[in-house]
Each structure stands twice: as C-alpha cells, then as structure tokens.
Amino acid sequence: MIKPFEKPIYVTRPFLPPLTQFCQGLEEIWESAWLTNYGPLVQRYERELSEFIQTDNICLFNNGTLALQIALQGMGISGEVITTPYTFVATTHVLYWNKIRPVFVDIEPDYYTLDPEKVEEAITPWTSAILAVHVYGHPCKLDALADIARRHKLKLIYDAAHAFGVNVGGQSIAHFGDLSMFSFHATKLYHSIEGGLLTFQESGLKGVFDYLKNFGFKNDVEVVMPGTNAKMNEVQALMGIQVLKYFPEIIARREAITRLYRERLKEIPGIRITPPLSPDVEFNYGYMPIEVEEEDFGMSRDDLYEKLKEWNVHGRRYFYPLLCDYACYRNVSVRDPLTVARRVTGRILTLPIYDGLKLSDVEKICEIVMSFQRQKAQNLRSRSYGMRRERIQDHEANR
C-alpha cells in the first residue's frame, strides 16, 4: 500500500548555498554599503560568468524578461518575428513590449523546439528575426536555423532561459545564434534569486545594453537613449556567485534523478519520455517532462496531474495552454495549424526534479504512476470477466 508523501513534493525547489557562507558574503556587502548600480559583486559575477561561458560579450540584468526585452530593442528588431507558441509567456511578452508582431509556427515532436521547415515557410518581407527557445534545455535545431537565418538575412535570437550549462560540441550553447538570453530565476536549476544574462556575438552591443538597462546614462550628466532600470543588485550577484561554485554537483545530482526516472518510466504504456540527446550535447537536466497518452495509459494528463496531488506530488502542466490561446494573444492571426504543439500541450507534464530530491522519493513517485497503470489493467480484466459472465448467463438463459 503506497502512502502519500507527508510533505509536498513540488515540481522544483531552489538550490541554496550554506547559510553561513551566504552570511559571510552579506558581511562584505554591509562593509561596502554598496547595494546596486554595478557594485563590486556584480562586477566579480560578470567576470566569473565570462570565464564560465568563455566569452567577454555578456551583460547581466535583474531578470531574464527585461534582458530579452532590452536585447530586441538594442538590436533594432522590428516588424515580424517568427517564434514558438510552446514556451513561457515572457518570450512573447517581450515582442509585444517592443511592438513586434509574433508569428507562431509549429514545433518538432521530439524535443519541442521550433520546426525549421515551418520557420522557413513563415518568412515574409516583414520578418526581421527568429526567436527560438531551447525548451527544457534541449538545444534547438542549431544548424538548420542558422542556415535559414543566414540565407534570409535574419537575426537568430535564442531564449535560452532553460539552457544554462548546456554545451554542444564542447562549447557553451551561448555561442550559437546572434544572441542568447539566460534566466537566473529561482525556479531554474541555476539561479541568482532573480536575474538574467545576455550573451551575443557583436561586441558593440555591450555598450548599448549597458545604457538601456541604466536609464540611458552615459555618465552623470549625459543620457544618450531612453533606457529603463534593469540592473542586477549585489545580493543577487552574491547568490549567483555562490551557487555557481556548486554547479557541477547540482548537475550530477539532477542527472542521477533523471536517469532513475527514465529507467522506471520507460516501460509504462502511455508514458512517453524524450529520446536520448545527441552524444555531442552536455545536458543540464533542468526538467523531467513526460507525455501522457490517454488511450494507452488509461487516464488523461489532467487526470494524472490531479491524481498525483492526492499523493502530495505536484507536477506542472508546462507549457499549457499554448501562448496563442491566451486571451491577450487571441487576436494574433495564426496561419500554422500547430498540429504538434497542440497535441503536446494537451499531454505534457513535468515531474518533480531538484538537487535535493531523494532517489527513494523518485522511486516512490514512479511507483505511484505505475500503480495507476496497474489499476487500469485490473479494471480491464474485471470488465472483461464481467462481459464473459454476461455472455455465459445469456447463453444459459437461451438454452
């Protein structure tokens, strides 16, 4: 008999460094009395990230949404941008705030990233860029999208909110495309409480982004453009610096959790897990998505989502619904039928994964899911037995 978890198992929990270590860092902030406006810890954090990613072309922000919003403005993106409906709302919100029309196209079925064929079909004279998302940290079709962008002279921008720490071919995923945005929100596997990072190929963008995130100030008497306030503060930088020290351990723990999930769930009818990634991809194990096929599993994704909560397991229907189905975007014309995206959004469920999740808890979560499948098989047997009994009784009655 499986008992519910005594305490809630949430879809994620943030990694926190030792409190004594964090407090030591706070003492440094208290000593300097410098809380924001590009303080010493932000400067140090920027240097450490630059070394981690192996590029000098980086810029820190107080959150990922403002980072991407400023990126589009600083790059002069306008008109139409081809993007995905299968992502977090911020990806499309930044287009709206820059008065850019989103053009939604379908995703590929394996890793849920933009389908390059659909991208190329959607290009018009008004298209200025492609905004693709490394969904759950899965790299997009990098070569195909780069080829399309090059041939059509489009900017290639990646929402890499989920992809910090992912490497492809031995180099950071930050080195692909014209620009990438990483989110350091507390729900991500790597975080700075809140935070965002831009990496880019054109070094001249650094100055532009620095102006735009600091009200447009060039110095104390010159404002060169109408910027906003999107600066990272010292406490955020402190958290980011300290969590970065533990990043390899975080990845290792999440990899072990992912391997166990995949091993235990792979044989359950109606549960689909993503195929193994290419050997040249070093993954970050940020999410554990599954698709629930109702006919084979015996219940819908929504039923499983609600049923798991009875055992105190809180997954997330991520992403659901599609962006184009939100009230604020229903007036956006969508020519693509979005066949794959609509199927996936009705079946996707992300299961709990975080570095502190015990493997025994993962075993129990999988056992709970399997128990639903066994119950389905038992119900089918009972139904079949009942039908046979009815046929025998009818036969006896007609003799």
Side-chain angles (χ1 to χ4, degrees):
M1 181 67 179
I2 307 173
K3 295 182 179 180
F5 287 95
E6 292 184 5
K7 295 182 179 180
I9 303 293
Y10 294 114
V11 70
T12 189
R13 290 184 66 184
F15 172 86
L16 294 173
L19 184 57
T20 53
Q21 180 180 310
F22 192 74
C23 288
Q24 288 174 0
L26 288 177
E27 290 177 2
E28 183 180 340
I29 295 175
W30 256 246
E31 179 67 25
S32 70
W34 196 340
L35 299 180
T36 189
N37 289 349
Y38 202 53
L41 285 178
V42 169
Q43 295 176 47
R44 174 183 161 190
Y45 188 27
E46 198 168 72
R47 291 193 300 270
E48 291 190 7
L49 286 172
S50 179
E51 183 177 347
F52 181 84
I53 297 173
Q54 293 295 294
T55 180
D56 292 329
N57 295 335
I58 71 171
C59 192
L60 279 167
F61 294 81
N62 58 355
N63 64 65
T65 302
L66 281 174
L68 191 53
Q69 186 175 318
I70 286 172
L72 296 174
Q73 186 175 140
M75 296 175 75
I77 306 300
S78 62
E80 295 180 349
V81 168
I82 298 170
T83 191
T84 172
Y86 190 74
T87 182
F88 186 61
V89 292
T91 309
T92 303
H93 286 350
V94 300
L95 298 173
Y96 173 87
W97 279 91
N98 280 284
K99 297 182 172 56
I100 297 167
R101 180 179 179 272
V103 176
F104 296 116
V105 300
D106 211 353
I107 59 177
E108 47 82 21
D110 289 334
Y111 303 108
Y112 317 124
T113 63
L114 270 182
D115 183 337
E117 290 186 11
K118 298 292 186 177
V119 170
E120 187 141 34
E121 291 171 3
I123 294 172
T124 73
W126 296 276
T127 306
S128 61
I130 301 166
L131 176 53
V133 180
H134 300 304
V135 179
Y136 310 133
H138 301 139
C140 291
K141 304 283 188 180
L142 300 170
D143 292 340
L145 291 176
D147 178 63
I148 293 169
R150 177 186 54 79
R151 287 188 286 106
H152 293 275
K153 296 180 172 57
L154 304 175
K155 293 295 184 182
L156 179 54
I157 301 167
Y158 284 115
D159 180 336
H162 293 176
F164 185 78
V166 174
N167 295 318
V168 180
Q171 64 177 341
S172 169
I173 202 164
H175 292 274
F176 296 87
D178 294 291
L179 177 141
S180 294
M181 180 282 296
F182 298 88
S183 170
F184 296 159
H185 188 274
T187 57
K188 304 298 187 290
L189 82 158
Y190 173 77
H191 73 96
S192 59
I193 305 174
E194 286 264 14
L197 174 73
L198 294 181
T199 63
F200 36 91
Q201 304 303 323
E202 186 182 336
S203 59
L205 287 172
K206 168 70 171 170
V208 176
F209 296 152
D210 282 342
Y211 291 147
L212 286 171
K213 74 177 180 182
N214 188 32
F215 304 103
F217 276 107
K218 182 177 182 180
N219 52 50
D220 60 346
V221 294
E222 289 183 272
V223 175
V224 295
M225 58 184 66
T228 186
N229 184 9
K231 301 183 298 296
M232 176 174 278
N233 65 54
E234 291 289 274
V235 177
Q236 290 175 298
L238 172 62
M239 181 64 79
I241 289 168
Q242 296 201 358
V243 176
L244 192 60
K245 296 176 184 177
Y246 294 91
F247 191 64
E249 296 176 31
I250 294 169
I251 294 293
R253 292 172 189 167
R254 296 175 78 109
E255 181 180 8
I257 292 168
T258 299
R259 289 185 184 280
L260 182 55
Y261 265 131
R262 294 180 70 91
E263 180 64 29
R264 300 286 276 132
L265 296 175
K266 67 181 181 182
E267 302 298 336
I268 302 179
I271 297 295
R272 178 191 179 272
I273 53 181
T274 55
L277 286 162
S278 169
D280 72 336
V281 175
E282 297 174 49
F283 196 43
N284 66 5
Y285 306 97
Y287 296 84
M288 184 60 220
I290 61 171
E291 285 185 53
V292 182
E293 299 172 352
E294 181 175 0
E295 184 175 346
D296 291 334
F297 184 69
M299 68 173 65
S300 68
R301 182 275 312 277
D302 290 345
D303 289 339
L304 176 58
Y305 168 72
E306 295 295 340
K307 200 74 176 171
L308 283 171
K309 287 195 284 189
E310 296 177 14
W311 269 260
N312 227 352
V313 178
H314 300 265
R316 186 178 180 187
R317 294 171 292 184
Y318 193 60
F319 301 100
Y320 170 80
L322 294 182
L323 291 188
C324 53
D325 292 336
Y326 282 111
C328 56
Y329 292 117
R330 285 180 191 153
N331 63 338
V332 176
S333 175
V334 182
R335 295 187 295 272
D336 192 312
L338 307 177
T339 306
V340 176
R342 291 200 177 280
R343 184 181 75 242
V344 171
T345 199
R347 305 197 310 189
I348 203 74
L349 184 68
T350 54
L351 297 177
I353 182 169
Y354 47 89
D355 67 282
L357 184 62
K358 298 176 183 177
L359 292 180
S360 59
D361 290 342
V362 176
E363 288 273 10
K364 184 173 177 177
I365 292 169
C366 293
E367 186 63 30
I368 291 168
V369 174
M370 287 188 284
S371 73
F372 300 148
Q373 180 66 31
R374 286 195 293 267
Q375 184 63 48
K376 175 207 171 188
Q378 182 178 337
N379 292 341
L380 287 174
R381 286 194 297 270
S382 298
R383 192 178 304 125
S384 176
Y385 176 76
M387 292 173 64
R388 287 199 302 271
R389 290 280 297 174
E390 289 177 4
R391 285 197 296 269
I392 292 171
Q393 289 172 354
D394 288 344
H395 178 71
E396 292 294 331
N398 292 326
R399 290 183 62 179

